[in-house]
């Protein structure tokens, strides 16, 4: 890094000087067993984490600090500092709750004790999302009292539970979190050192399909051949949802979209996904296209007789649970209609078909082309010394859609310290401290250069 301008050089050295404190803070945060499920961990663990976050951001210069109870009972930490006249307001998002340890025996370091190993820091929540809390905190500390924009910090307390406490709270209290730019600090770069916006999130449609053909099971020797077989009928229907290459083929849903951001190397993907040697990847597009730009139908479960204990019987009914992931550009209602129409059109033998909708979530695309995005792009580029790229994320973050609906003019950006090596949600979660340092610098640069 030879080309820092004086402002970048100054912030870079301030952030570097704050990294020892960042490590101590992360160690403190990781020590809270803040799994937001009182059946697994005492509620005080979350309360202590929330209080620590509130105190830390107060010490970093935010005022109006409070814990706000949300409809699912969890507490959101909200702290803010008003914008100077004419300046924009930035909302910084993170969450202080974490996933449970899962298989504790699989951890190579203590779950709740930040431990350095081969240059990475291990512990539950070290990346997701306590590493991002420390990113926000370090950025604000580096700037100090000369914060030229308004900042509101929100740290959610039940993100990993999916109970939607903050989502409902935002709808009920829109003024508290209103901002011109929203930084969702719960994502990360494509790889360590590669500055990346997570630009899209897939939506989903879940349905349960039931096929019925007979009043009851029949002997396959006596009736098989002429009796309509519900399981065979279901298998036939499901097979029409994919072609032999693995492309999803729901009639009416575009499966040819391309991806113009980062490309995911197929060999790396094979390793990341644990694909067996000699087995082909699925789909005719690139890995990035298949993951982020095209619809994907997955059969999540089938109710059918188990092999052990099955008998020579034709099944009178069969059902399956289907999950359709949809990229931005496809509306969930439209995807649901297409899926239902496809299944109806591909039901053999006029079998009795029932399709129940279980859940639907909209895909998300972050804004690009606005002033906040331009400032963040420049900040990432300056921090890392290389141009930014974009990736998608296969899962969904429902809160992003709530923010987009509630604050239609806000620019929403997804960044953070959670790159793939972090193994978030798995045993042996870790964070690369250089990502905390680069991302904290990025955020400090953004907060000191963004104007509307
Ligand atoms: Zn997270």
């Amino acid at each position: 890094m030879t080309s820092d301008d004086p402002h970048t050089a100054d912030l870079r050295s301030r952030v570097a000087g704050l990294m020892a404190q960042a490590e101590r803070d992360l160690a403190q945060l990781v020590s809270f067993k803040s799994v937001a499920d009182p059946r697994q961990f005492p509620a005080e663990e979350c309360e202590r984490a929330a209080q620590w976050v509130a105190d830390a951001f107060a010490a970093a210069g935010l005022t109006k600090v409070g814990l706000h109870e949300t409809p699912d009972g969890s507490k959101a930490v909200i702290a803010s500092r008003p914008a100077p006249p004419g300046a924009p307001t930035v909302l910084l998002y993170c969450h202080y709750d974490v996933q449970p340890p899962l298989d504790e025996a699989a951890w190579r370091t203590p779950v709740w004790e930040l431990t350095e190993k081969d240059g990475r820091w291990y512990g539950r929540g070290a990346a997701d999302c306590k590493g991002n809390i420390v990113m926000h905190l370090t950025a604000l500390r580096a700037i100090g009292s000369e914060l030229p924009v308004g900042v509101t910090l929100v740290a959610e307390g039940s993100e990993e539970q999916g109970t939607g406490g903050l989502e409902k709270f935002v709808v009920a209290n829109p003024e508290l979190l209103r901002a011109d730019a929203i930084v969702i600090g719960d994502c990360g770069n494509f790889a360590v050192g590669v500055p990346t916006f997570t630009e899209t999130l897939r939506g989903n449609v879940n349905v349960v399909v039931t096929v019925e053909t007979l009043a009851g099971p029949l002997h396959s020797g006596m009736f098989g051949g002429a009796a309509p077989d519900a399981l065979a009928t279901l298998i036939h229907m499901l097979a029409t949802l994919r072609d032999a290459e693995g492309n999803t083929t729901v009639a009416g849903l575009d499966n040819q979209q391309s991806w113009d951001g980062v490309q995911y190397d197929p060999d790396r993907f094979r390793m990341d996904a644990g694909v067996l040697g000699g087995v082909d990847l699925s789909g005719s597009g690139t890995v990035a296209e298949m993951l982020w730009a095209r619809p994907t139908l997955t059969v999540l479960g089938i109710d059918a007789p188990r092999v052990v204990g099955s008998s020579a019987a034709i099944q009178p009914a069969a059902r399956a649970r289907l999950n359709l992931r949809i990229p931005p550009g496809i509306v969930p209602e439209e995807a649901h209609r297409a899926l239902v129409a496809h299944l109806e059109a591909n039901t053999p033998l006029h079998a009795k078909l029932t399709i129940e909708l279980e859940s639907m979530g909209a895909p998300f695309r972050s804004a690009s082309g606005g002033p906040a995005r331009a400032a963040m792009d420049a900040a990432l580029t300056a921090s890392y010394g290389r141009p930014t790229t974009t990736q998608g994320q296969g899962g969904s973050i429902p809160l992003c859609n709530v923010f987009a609906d509630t604050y239609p003019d806000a620019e929403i950006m997804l960044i953070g310290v959670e790159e793939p090596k972090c193994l978030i949600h798995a045993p042996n979660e870790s964070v690369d401290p250089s990502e905390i340092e680069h991302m904290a610098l990025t955020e400090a640069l953004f907060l000191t250069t963004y104007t509307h």
Side-chain angles (χ1 to χ4, degrees):
M1 234 73 63
T2 52
S3 55
D4 275 357
D5 60 64
H7 178 61
T8 304
D10 176 37
L11 280 177
R12 191 185 297 279
S13 75
R14 290 198 210 182
V15 168
L18 289 164
M19 283 306 290
Q21 189 180 2
E23 183 175 6
R24 286 195 299 276
D25 287 347
L26 190 57
Q28 181 66 61
L29 278 166
V30 166
S31 75
F32 301 123
K33 301 172 179 139
S34 49
V35 177
D37 179 358
R39 294 166 303 180
Q40 298 184 61
F41 292 90
E44 298 83 72
E45 297 281 348
C46 277
E47 279 160 29
R48 286 166 61 220
Q51 194 55 54
W52 189 94
V53 171
D55 293 344
F57 281 93
L62 299 190
T63 52
K64 280 178 48 189
V65 182
L67 306 188
H68 297 256
E69 177 140 358
T70 73
D72 69 3
S74 67
K75 292 205 178 71
V77 181
I78 300 178
S80 62
R81 190 170 144 132
T89 295
V90 176
L91 177 65
L92 303 176
Y93 167 88
C94 52
H95 61 86
Y96 63 82
D97 70 308
V98 294
Q99 285 281 328
L102 303 176
D103 182 6
E104 289 216 38
W107 282 79
R108 290 186 294 268
T109 62
V111 176
W112 308 108
E113 200 180 309
L114 192 71
T115 308
E116 188 186 337
K117 208 164 145 271
D118 305 323
R120 295 183 69 92
W121 297 343
Y122 287 79
R124 172 56 86 221
D128 179 15
C129 189
K130 291 168 173 173
N132 289 312
I133 297 177
V134 171
M135 165 183 81
H136 292 324
L137 203 47
T138 305
L140 290 174
R141 283 182 185 142
I143 297 166
S145 56
E146 294 112 60
L147 192 56
V149 292
V151 167
T152 304
L153 177 283
V154 59
E156 181 177 11
S158 61
E159 196 276 340
E160 302 292 6
Q161 298 299 318
T163 40
L166 186 63
E167 287 149 56
K168 296 186 192 106
F169 181 85
V170 169
V171 173
N173 303 275
E175 287 317 313
L176 266 184
L177 301 182
R178 187 173 297 283
D180 302 286
I182 299 176
V183 179
I184 304 286
D186 194 12
C187 288
N189 291 327
F190 179 69
V192 172
V194 180
T196 311
F197 288 98
T198 297
E199 187 138 284
T200 63
L201 306 169
R202 288 198 285 195
N204 69 295
V205 175
N206 272 21
V207 298
V208 173
V209 185
T210 306
V211 175
E212 293 165 283
T213 53
L214 296 165
L218 294 174
H219 190 279
S220 64
M222 208 178 297
F223 293 96
D229 179 328
L231 185 52
T233 302
L234 179 70
I235 290 167
H236 179 93
M237 287 172 73
L238 298 182
T240 65
L241 297 167
R242 293 255 190 164
D243 66 18
E245 268 183 293
N247 297 296
T248 290
T249 51
V250 175
L253 291 189
D254 181 0
N255 67 0
Q256 294 298 313
Q257 284 294 314
S258 54
W259 178 261
D260 61 7
V262 75
Q263 286 300 332
Y264 201 145
D265 174 61
D267 290 330
R268 182 181 144 191
F269 180 79
R270 296 188 73 88
M271 270 202 343
D272 292 348
V275 179
L276 300 183
V279 178
D280 296 339
L281 295 185
S282 183
S284 54
T286 66
V287 173
E289 284 162 353
M290 299 311 295
L291 292 179
W292 303 324
R294 300 183 182 186
T296 304
L297 189 291
T298 305
V299 179
L300 301 182
I302 297 183
D303 283 346
R306 299 169 65 87
V307 171
V308 175
S310 56
S311 62
I314 303 167
Q315 295 307 309
R319 60 179 196 154
R321 187 158 178 245
L322 310 183
N323 166 242
L324 179 61
R325 298 274 175 184
I326 49 172
I330 300 181
V331 180
E333 290 76 11
E334 175 194 315
H336 176 237
R337 271 197 299 278
L339 179 58
V340 168
H342 180 107
L343 292 169
E344 285 171 350
N346 287 281
T347 308
L349 311 176
H350 300 100
K352 189 169 170 242
L353 178 67
T354 315
I355 303 168
E356 290 162 72
L357 176 63
E358 276 197 318
S359 62
M360 262 196 308
F364 175 82
R365 179 189 293 282
S366 68
S368 55
R373 170 67 176 249
M376 187 67 87
D377 195 285
L380 278 164
T381 304
S383 176
Y384 283 90
R386 58 185 286 183
T388 63
T389 188
T390 58
Q391 67 183 350
Q393 185 171 300
S396 49
I397 305 179
L399 183 65
C400 286
N401 296 89
V402 172
F403 280 146
D405 292 343
T406 311
Y407 312 117
D409 297 329
E411 289 179 70
I412 302 176
M413 298 173 285
L414 286 73
I415 58 164
V417 303
E418 301 168 24
E419 38 75 34
K421 285 210 176 95
C422 295
L423 300 180
I424 63 167
H425 295 202
N428 302 304
E429 178 178 352
S430 66
V431 69
D432 187 318
S434 76
E435 288 292 286
I436 294 183
E437 189 167 349
H438 279 118
M439 290 308 300
L441 172 59
T442 297
E443 205 163 272
L445 285 167
F446 169 70
L447 292 172
T448 49
T449 55
Y450 165 48
T451 51
H452 18 205

